[in-house]
Amino acid sequence: MKRSSGSVVRWPRSWPAVVGGPITSVAPSTTACALTTLVTGRTPAEHGVIGYRLALHGEVMNVLQWSLGGVDARMSVPASKFQPCQSFPGARIPVPVVTRQDFGPTGFTAAHLGDVDLHRWHTPAGLVTAVRDLTAGGAPFVYAYYEGIDKVAHAEGLGAYYDDELRAVDRLVGDVLEVLPPGAVLVVTADHGQVEVGGSVELIGPEIMEDVTLITGEGRFRWLHLHSGAAEEVAATAMSLHGDVAWVRTKEQMIDDGWLGGVPSTEVAARLGDVALVPFAPTAFLDPADTGELRLKARHGSLTEAEMSVPLLGWRAS
């Protein structure tokens, strides 16, 4: 794990030796996709959660808010139908999941976690308490989620606040390790990295927008939904206008090249746009219907090393 300054995190001498290293996230490298892959072991092409905002029934579905066209979709879009893959496959009993208090009753929680035993924390200390009590009670496996690094990066960028949050998470990991019973193993990973974008925004050219019927995805993995038959022409135009800052791919090219980890079903493929704009430069493509993203100083979603490379580290408690 590295801080934004490039200095290596140094674990306390009293900790057991760490094993592991970097692994690769999924495409798009965004929370909804990656967390669903992490708990199901399936690729985005298989589980169908292929973005933070995706197309469903001609409208935009916000997966994290579980809303369709801005309306709560927990009744109209059943989570188990939308994402049918089992979480924690092979578990004989519901897995205890320790997560933040307000993440409990959401549609996304139901979609990616399914039938689990939820334990919700109010502060990071509560995360440690829950893990301690569950493991002491004999739970063979506990999944705990902490989102602080992501929140700070979005709000403050990859500067001093981000570095200090990493140090705080170092201490949190140490606190969890200290309360584990001897012989237990702690594994730490992440869903994605971050790229400092700041105020850099790409406006999609008007020559392209003439054929656009809907925009989904996120700023660093933007999907354009187009009038029928316009994909090849729009892709060529997008390459000429934006090819210096982004990869431009049609849906067919992306599937053929394996970006989503396989060939999606017809139902999942319908959630994708026709052409994707995926920046490799530190910028993001604006969706006029989702201007809230402009507040984010660091972002993710693309396939750069900074966004795709995440840690997989393990310790055995003594």
Side-chain angles (χ1 to χ4, degrees):
M1 184 183 296
K2 291 187 178 181
R3 298 193 177 96
S4 60
S5 61
S7 58
V8 177
V9 172
R10 302 199 179 278
W11 312 106
R13 291 181 180 273
S14 59
W15 286 21
V18 61
V19 296
I23 60 172
T24 301
S25 186
V26 299
S29 57
T30 195
T31 299
C33 306
L35 287 186
T36 307
T37 289
L38 184 64
V39 301
T40 65
R42 302 294 187 92
T43 67
E46 295 172 303
H47 60 60
V49 183
I50 47 82
Y52 146 64
R53 296 168 76 250
L54 50 81
L56 191 67
H57 309 320
E59 296 187 275
V60 176
M61 179 168 180
N62 185 313
V63 173
L64 296 183
Q65 296 178 3
W66 209 258
S67 63
L68 184 62
V71 178
D72 189 313
R74 283 176 291 180
M75 295 298 291
S76 61
V77 185
S80 60
K81 183 176 184 299
F82 183 89
Q83 197 294 99
C85 298
Q86 181 185 354
S87 63
F88 308 107
R92 297 180 180 179
I93 59 174
V95 169
V97 170
V98 180
T99 191
R100 207 179 78 184
Q101 174 68 22
D102 50 348
F103 289 168
T106 69
F108 176 60
T109 294
H112 84 286
L113 290 175
D115 183 22
V116 295
D117 177 22
L118 279 177
H119 298 259
R120 294 183 276 169
W121 53 265
H122 292 274
T123 68
L127 182 153
V128 178
T129 302
V131 170
R132 181 196 65 201
D133 291 350
L134 287 164
T135 54
F141 178 81
V142 177
Y143 175 84
Y145 178 67
Y146 177 77
E147 88 299 1
I149 293 175
D150 183 62
K151 287 181 65 176
V152 170
H154 284 319
E156 302 290 346
L158 306 182
Y161 285 95
Y162 182 77
D163 284 351
D164 287 341
E165 177 63 19
L166 282 179
R167 293 185 184 97
V169 172
D170 291 348
R171 294 190 291 271
L172 178 61
V173 170
D175 289 346
V176 172
L177 189 58
E178 287 179 0
V179 302
L180 293 180
V185 173
L186 173 63
V187 177
V188 175
T189 189
D191 48 350
H192 54 73
Q194 296 272 2
V195 168
E196 183 91 47
V197 172
S200 178
V201 174
E202 297 291 317
L203 301 178
I204 301 172
E207 306 93 325
I208 296 172
M209 292 300 295
E210 292 176 357
D211 286 303
V212 173
T213 61
L214 197 68
I215 300 177
T216 59
E218 39 259 299
R220 291 191 57 77
F221 206 111
R222 187 66 74 197
W223 281 109
L224 307 179
H225 301 253
L226 308 170
H227 294 122
S228 179
E232 294 298 331
E233 182 178 351
V234 167
T237 303
M239 179 60 73
S240 66
L241 293 176
H242 304 297
D244 59 332
V245 297
W247 294 294
V248 179
R249 296 290 188 275
T250 65
K251 174 168 62 177
E252 290 73 22
Q253 288 173 328
M254 188 169 292
I255 293 173
D256 289 346
D257 291 344
W259 282 36
L260 303 176
V263 178
S265 67
T266 301
E267 181 179 6
V268 171
R271 301 171 186 174
L272 305 170
D274 298 291
V275 171
L277 307 178
V278 185
F280 48 78
T283 190
F285 284 92
L286 176 68
D287 177 358
D290 189 30
T291 55
E293 284 191 350
L294 292 173
R295 296 191 296 268
L296 306 182
K297 295 182 179 180
R299 303 199 202 184
H300 50 87
S302 184
L303 273 70
T304 67
E305 182 180 0
E307 291 156 286
M308 293 292 287
S309 183
V310 297
L312 181 66
L313 305 173
W315 300 260
R316 183 181 295 276
S318 56

